Amino acid sequence: RCHQRSMAMLDIPFPPFLAFLASLGVLCVALVGSWCQHWRGGFSLDGGSRTFNWHPVLMVTGLVVLYGAAALVYRIPGTWNGPKLPWKLLHGGLALGAFVLTVLGLAAVFRFHNSNGTPNMYSLHSWMGLATVLLFSCQWAAGLGAFLLPWAPAWLRELYKPIHIFFGSTILMLSVASCVSGINEKLFFSLKNGTTAYKLLPAEAVFANTLGMLILLFGVLVVGALARPSWKRPDPNSLDSRQVLGMPPLGAQP
């Protein structure tokens, strides 16, 4: 009984959790923008260091926060009843928006590197980030073909669905890892000559490290929400799900 009571106390409703997570996502975007504005000189499109500053802002906004929002669409209880097509369009649209912002973020960092003679794709952060974006693009295209286009057979959708869910969580955690490693790399490159060394933990380092921890927390909470059984969309073919959705059991009179 004590175990059941503990589980009941931990089984919080999804809407308050979603509100907290949305606030955390907005906070991450606000902090990365403040970091680039206050310590890194702001934003520009001239190919200089201020052009680079678009890269972390767009990546955190698109590849983490907006992508996380897309992943949680089907955890909203309001999506469990009625037609799925509007929610499919919302899920795909949020993911497409995340992808567009990600591509713009990549364009910003490549333009900065090319304008300053800096080699591209030499660090672990860049390899992991590009691999994440390529996997993301394949995931979106496969999801479009399997779930939104009308000619995909039902057996293919059932076969691909668990794969799509698995790679959704995988891509989010890769996105978080790419962003956190990118923050760390930027601090190593920036806090040296003419500034307080990174090892002395100046205010910028504390701020950026805190940002990295919040991004990590956001990713962990999204993956935890995706894995929580009570927040998953019920299977309409199961008896329990029929009771949740208000459907009559198999064989019962309507």
Side-chain angles (χ1 to χ4, degrees):
R1 290 181 179 178
C2 292
H3 175 71
Q4 293 176 349
R5 290 175 182 175
S6 299
M7 294 303 295
M9 292 175 63
L10 293 174
D11 193 17
I12 63 174
F14 183 74
F17 172 84
L18 183 62
F20 171 77
L21 195 63
S23 301
L24 181 59
V26 171
L27 179 62
C28 289
V29 174
L31 290 182
V32 70
S34 298
W35 176 37
C36 294
Q37 180 67 44
H38 181 72
W39 277 288
R40 299 289 101 216
F43 303 91
S44 177
L45 297 176
D46 58 4
S49 60
R50 292 187 300 167
T51 298
F52 172 87
N53 289 340
W54 286 108
H55 175 68
V57 172
L58 293 172
M59 288 303 191
V60 171
T61 304
L63 207 54
V64 176
V65 177
L66 203 56
Y67 184 85
L72 291 176
V73 164
Y74 294 115
R75 297 300 184 269
I76 302 173
T79 67
W80 295 355
N81 298 314
K84 290 182 65 176
L85 181 59
W87 303 108
K88 287 183 178 181
L89 294 174
L90 177 60
H91 175 74
L94 288 172
L96 180 60
F99 182 73
V100 171
L101 294 181
T102 300
V103 171
L104 293 175
L106 287 178
V109 69
F110 280 122
R111 181 176 181 184
F112 167 72
H113 284 172
N114 295 334
S115 298
N116 293 272
T118 304
N120 292 306
M121 303 305 300
Y122 67 89
S123 66
L124 177 60
H125 162 69
S126 60
W127 290 12
M128 183 164 50
L130 186 60
T132 302
V133 174
L134 292 176
L135 188 60
F136 181 13
S137 62
C138 294
Q139 169 90 339
W140 192 90
L144 175 66
F147 301 118
L148 277 177
L149 298 183
W151 55 74
W155 65 265
L156 178 61
R157 295 180 181 181
E158 290 299 320
L159 179 66
Y160 177 63
K161 182 178 178 180
I163 300 174
H164 186 76
I165 294 173
F166 169 77
F167 277 104
S169 298
T170 301
I171 291 169
L172 178 62
M173 294 315 298
L174 286 173
S175 302
V176 169
S178 299
C179 289
V180 170
S181 63
I183 291 171
N184 193 246
E185 183 179 283
K186 183 61 176 178
L187 291 175
F188 273 119
F189 286 158
S190 301
L191 299 180
K192 48 182 183 179
N193 298 330
T195 64
T196 303
Y198 186 18
K199 64 182 180 181
L200 299 178
L201 204 64
E204 180 181 356
V206 174
F207 188 92
N209 287 345
T210 302
L211 168 63
M213 294 300 294
L214 292 176
I215 292 173
L216 179 60
L217 176 62
F218 181 89
V220 169
L221 290 178
V222 172
V223 172
L226 294 175
R228 191 177 183 92
S230 62
W231 289 348
K232 291 183 179 180
R233 180 187 176 95
D235 182 1
N237 295 321
S238 68
L239 178 60
D240 293 339
S241 298
R242 287 173 172 269
Q243 293 172 350
V244 171
L245 296 174
M247 300 170 60
L250 291 175
Q253 293 296 326

